[in-house]
Amino acid sequence: MNATHALMPFADAQRAIVDACEPLGAECVPLARARGRIAASDVIATEVLVPYDRSAMDGFAVRARDAATGATLRVEPGFAAAGTHPPALAPGTAMAIATGAPMPRDADAVVPIENTVQAGAYISVSEGVGPGEHVFPAGEDAMPGQCLVARGTRLRAADLGALAASGNVSVSVHLRPRVTVLCTGDELVPIEQAPGYGQIRNSNGVTLAHGIAALGGQVLAVHRVADTERAVALALAQALATSDLVVTTGGASVGKRDYVKAIARELGVALLFDTVAMRPSKPTAFGTVDFARLAILPGNPAAAYVALHELVRPGLLALAGDPMPLMPRVTARLRGGAVRAKPGRTFCAFARVTIASGGFEATLLDNQCSSLTQSAAAANGFIVVPDIAAQYRDGDPVTVDIIDWATVR
């Protein structure tokens, strides 16, 4: 459907984006290349993991009925170590065993070494054990039919370890979205070039490329596009034909050279919305054509950064198969002054989120100007101020979207 020029509410825009971004297809990749990818299907165990009882302690394998407190047991020759196949245990005897080693047949417990006193070929038990004590039973990790990794899981090192332990050498994951970034503007120059009067370096291209890659996108190209209708049309048509998602910056408003939305419509893009009731990033639009999605972002660096996380991220992660594509959200105490949104427009304010004794704290950054790069660089979260006239003061609870958990400390 074609969008109207009415401002779409912030939360509605996020939902519309997610709904428009069904997960891409799947591919099978080796475990070595699967970290951070999203599982495309459940992975089910096909064997017992581990298929034998193992010792949970360094000590002596015993029959529990023989190993009451004060019992004296003869120690069998040999030693049960990991990777060995120990012989059966005779009644009234014990066998030295290492942590993780297979239990001897007929042994059903382990006496920790610190609970024994050894004298020659015998041990005395200072603390008795019951059946199964200090033993990892067979199948404790997984049994056939058990789900090892659920569809939609973002695969971590531990997930891949579980798959490796169960004999999986590869895993089915959703395709990484292919993304092209188009930065429009005659004022933009390459970052290695000294800008002339009226020019600026193309920082948006760097920010978006790295941000998209960090979220799991496959960045095909970053192009600077001149402010002409022909240049925008050619670049946009080519990008839409070769990408799962195209992200543009600049040319998104209503100025004389703001061509992107009109040209997108001419190319058949159905815009879900063409403005969002939020600050900054109001000019952001999102649409679809054939198998491609298009995110049109404002050119101001801080506004583009907010749109990247709050509006591009949901679509990108949804395409990648992530069932939780929105930013992680917490409640924090406001620090650093008062903040309010304009009625009818959600305010995403740059903040520094920390952990205090009472929970999270969000310190409002001094400069919220949408044209600056330092505001985004200093922030690790957005205070999301709802579109009502209420004002939040120092110490009030506020909603915060986390940009980077690693920096919250």
Side-chain angles (χ1 to χ4, degrees):
M1 63 178 181
N2 285 324
T4 67
H5 290 283
L7 292 171
M8 178 170 278
F10 172 61
D12 291 351
Q14 289 184 319
R15 280 191 292 269
I17 290 170
V18 172
D19 290 345
C21 294
E22 288 291 324
L24 300 174
E27 63 177 340
C28 197
V29 301
L31 297 189
R33 294 197 288 112
R35 184 173 62 85
R37 302 289 292 274
I38 306 294
S41 59
D42 293 346
V43 182
I44 306 300
T46 58
E47 59 187 44
V48 178
L49 186 63
V50 172
Y52 50 84
D53 294 345
R54 295 170 294 153
S55 175
M57 304 286 288
D58 290 333
F60 294 90
V62 298
R63 297 169 184 250
R65 64 175 178 269
D66 296 337
T69 300
T72 298
L73 303 174
R74 181 172 57 83
V75 179
E76 295 277 27
F79 175 64
T84 64
H85 189 170
L89 187 70
T93 66
M95 182 180 296
I97 193 167
T99 301
M103 293 288 289
R105 185 163 52 85
D106 297 329
D108 62 358
V110 172
V111 180
I113 195 168
E114 59 268 27
N115 294 341
T116 64
V117 176
Q118 188 165 5
Y122 292 86
I123 59 168
S124 59
V125 179
S126 59
E127 185 175 327
V129 291
E133 198 163 347
H134 305 306
V135 174
F136 296 128
E140 185 179 42
D141 215 355
M143 294 294 289
Q146 182 177 334
C147 183
L148 299 173
V149 169
R151 180 173 61 89
T153 298
R154 184 174 293 276
L155 297 168
R156 306 161 300 155
D159 300 312
L160 298 174
L163 295 180
S166 62
N168 292 275
V169 298
S170 60
V171 61
S172 177
V173 294
H174 284 289
L175 295 169
R176 293 173 62 201
R178 299 166 302 163
V179 186
T180 298
V181 177
L182 303 178
C183 301
T184 69
D186 289 339
E187 76 279 14
L188 301 178
V189 298
I191 60 172
E192 66 273 12
Q193 180 177 325
Y197 188 78
Q199 295 180 322
I200 57 172
R201 293 185 177 92
N202 184 14
S203 63
N204 276 347
V206 174
T207 300
L208 291 173
H210 283 284
I212 290 165
L215 292 168
Q218 180 183 356
V219 180
L220 301 180
V222 179
H223 296 298
R224 201 275 300 181
V225 183
D227 275 329
T228 68
E229 292 183 80
R230 176 175 172 77
V232 171
L234 288 174
L236 193 54
Q238 182 176 7
L240 289 170
T242 57
S243 312
D244 300 305
L245 174 65
V246 178
V247 180
T248 71
T249 66
S253 193
V254 293
K256 187 175 180 180
R257 290 188 172 185
D258 291 328
Y259 304 124
V260 179
K261 292 174 184 176
I263 290 173
R265 288 190 176 98
E266 291 173 3
L267 292 173
V269 176
L271 294 182
L272 306 176
F273 55 85
D274 63 4
T275 49
V276 186
M278 66 184 293
R279 167 174 161 245
S281 312
K282 172 188 169 184
T284 300
F286 195 92
T288 64
V289 57
D290 298 328
F291 298 104
R293 286 81 173 172
L294 172 64
I296 301 171
L297 277 51
N300 281 335
Y305 187 74
V306 171
L308 166 66
H309 287 283
E310 294 288 7
L311 298 172
V312 174
R313 172 194 167 114
L316 184 67
L317 295 191
L319 288 171
D322 194 325
M324 300 181 66
L326 300 184
M327 295 180 71
R329 179 167 285 186
V330 300
T331 298
R333 292 287 176 186
L334 177 63
R335 298 296 182 219
V339 61
R340 67 182 299 169
K342 294 180 180 179
R345 195 175 303 178
T346 300
F347 181 23
C348 294
F350 291 102
R352 190 72 188 176
V353 185
T354 55
I355 301 174
S357 57
F360 295 105
E361 293 188 346
T363 302
L364 186 68
L365 298 186
D366 291 335
N367 200 329
Q368 297 289 327
C369 179
S370 64
S371 66
L372 304 180
T373 58
Q374 288 300 308
S375 301
N380 63 356
F382 304 128
I383 299 171
V384 182
V385 187
D387 54 353
I388 56 177
Q391 178 168 291
Y392 294 88
R393 296 177 174 83
D394 195 88
D396 286 344
V398 291
T399 296
V400 179
D401 285 352
I402 303 296
I403 300 169
D404 182 8
W405 274 117
T407 62
V408 178
R409 55 182 69 130

